[in-house]
Amino acid sequence: MGQVSLGSGKAGVDAAEEVSGPWREAIRGILHHKMAVAGLIILVFFIGVAVLAPLLTPYDYKEQVLADRLKPPSAEHWFGTDDLGRDVFTRVVYGARISLWVGFASVVGSIVVGTMLGIIAGYYGRWLDMLISRLFDILLAFPGILLAIAIVAILGPSLFNALVAIAIVNIPTYGRLVRARVLSLKQEEYITAAKSIGMKNGSILLSHVLPNSLTPIIVQGTLGIGTGILEAAALGFLGMGAQPPSPEWGKMLSDSRQFIQTAPWTLIFPGVSIMLTVLGFNLLGDGMRDILDPKMRR
């Protein structure tokens, strides 16, 4: 009996380590991964810029001074001015708030709904799995940006509706990822043991299945924020995202495309901001994958 008890205790410790492992390993390993550190530095910079936006510039992003329209970068206007005389640096700085918020919020929405549907489909199976999987297949049958455009066209152009559209488009990505993970987990011995002692399905899902499904969600979520920012910029460029005078980076590109030759700074700075932010999330996401995915470790 003593040996059985010892074995059970060890299994419990291993299970606990499996649950908390991804978080602990991510925090410890990220500082030893060059790409992840580079991505983290970029993201910390842009997050700091977004938080400190009112302190970084004396101008209002909505302030129009037509006498100063299309002025090149100078000591007074670091990034120059746009066609309405607005300070481009100010609008880029405040645009970081919008782009980061859209990226984070859309990914959180996708993860919450996709994870819930994926767990239900993978754990309960049968007709629920078939119904949810077919829903995922329908959403994946359309190119993501076209589906997002269709959703925004139905709901109406606005930043919030663009956020909702981006979240809906990315639900299948997380749903299928979690479903595959749950299909593997529910065959594990500790799940069978939990069922044998009478633990309810809800408790099993919250205590065992969900915590052990976090690793792929963390990685995909980190990469997904960059994708969300790109999709928001694309919708803004098409006039279906943020509306004037919001300083959203994609909308800034759209408003300035006619000045690409006469005032290229109006496009360069928001474009570079999009590129660097997405690069930061991609580097961090790739680093997280290398740290957390056993198949990627050497």
Side-chain angles (χ1 to χ4, degrees):
M1 292 295 291
Q3 293 179 347
V4 173
S5 176
L6 179 60
S8 301
K10 184 177 180 181
V13 172
D14 291 340
E17 290 180 351
E18 185 178 1
V19 170
S20 60
W23 299 99
R24 188 172 58 250
E25 290 182 17
I27 295 173
R28 184 175 61 244
I30 195 171
L31 298 178
H32 299 283
H33 195 287
K34 293 182 179 179
M35 285 199 307
V37 170
L40 187 60
I41 291 173
I42 294 173
L43 296 180
V44 168
F45 171 77
F46 277 99
I47 292 173
V49 165
V51 172
L52 300 175
L55 303 177
L56 295 177
T57 175
Y59 302 102
D60 184 345
Y61 69 85
K62 296 180 290 186
E63 181 182 0
Q64 300 180 17
V65 183
L66 295 180
D68 292 337
R69 63 189 305 269
L70 298 180
K71 282 193 172 182
S74 63
E76 184 180 2
H77 299 285
W78 293 354
F79 290 179
T81 60
D82 63 10
D83 59 313
L84 296 177
R86 296 173 297 192
D87 183 65
V88 174
F89 174 75
T90 300
R91 292 180 62 78
V92 168
V93 167
Y94 278 92
R97 289 185 167 187
I98 296 176
S99 294
L100 290 174
W101 177 75
V102 169
F104 279 107
S106 62
V107 165
V108 169
S110 299
I111 287 177
V112 171
V113 178
T115 298
M116 180 181 66
L117 294 177
I119 287 178
I120 293 173
Y123 188 79
Y124 291 101
R126 298 183 180 180
W127 66 271
L128 279 174
D129 185 15
M130 183 182 68
L131 180 64
I132 294 173
S133 295
R134 296 297 78 76
L135 174 62
F136 291 162
D137 291 340
I138 292 172
L139 292 175
L140 290 172
F142 300 92
I145 189 63
L146 292 182
L147 181 58
I149 291 173
I151 295 172
V152 175
I154 294 171
L155 298 178
S158 73
L159 182 62
F160 179 77
N161 290 341
L163 187 155
V164 172
I166 294 169
I168 293 174
V169 165
N170 290 297
I171 285 175
T173 301
Y174 300 96
R176 297 182 71 177
L177 192 66
V178 173
R179 175 184 174 273
R181 179 65 173 163
V182 172
L183 287 174
S184 174
L185 287 175
K186 74 176 185 179
Q187 306 299 327
E188 296 290 337
E189 293 181 358
Y190 61 88
I191 300 295
T192 304
K195 291 180 179 179
S196 67
I197 62 175
M199 184 177 289
K200 296 181 179 179
N201 288 331
S203 298
I204 294 175
L205 292 177
L206 291 176
S207 302
H208 299 293
V209 175
L210 179 59
N212 286 286
S213 302
L214 290 178
T215 298
I217 295 176
I218 294 171
V219 175
Q220 187 59 43
T222 305
L223 295 169
I225 295 174
T227 301
I229 292 174
L230 271 180
E231 291 173 343
L235 291 174
F237 185 84
L238 296 173
M240 308 189 75
Q243 300 299 304
S246 296
E248 195 272 326
W249 290 337
K251 181 61 177 173
M252 292 176 66
L253 291 176
S254 177
D255 294 339
S256 303
R257 66 182 185 274
Q258 59 184 312
F259 306 110
I260 190 170
Q261 293 183 339
T262 58
W265 57 86
T266 58
L267 290 92
I268 290 174
F269 293 111
V272 169
S273 298
I274 294 173
M275 182 197 71
L276 290 178
T277 305
V278 174
L279 176 64
F281 280 111
N282 286 343
L283 290 176
L284 182 59
D286 288 340
M288 296 286 282
R289 180 187 59 192
D290 293 344
I291 294 166
L292 298 177
D293 189 351
K295 296 179 181 179
M296 301 298 296
R297 295 175 188 163
R298 295 181 179 179

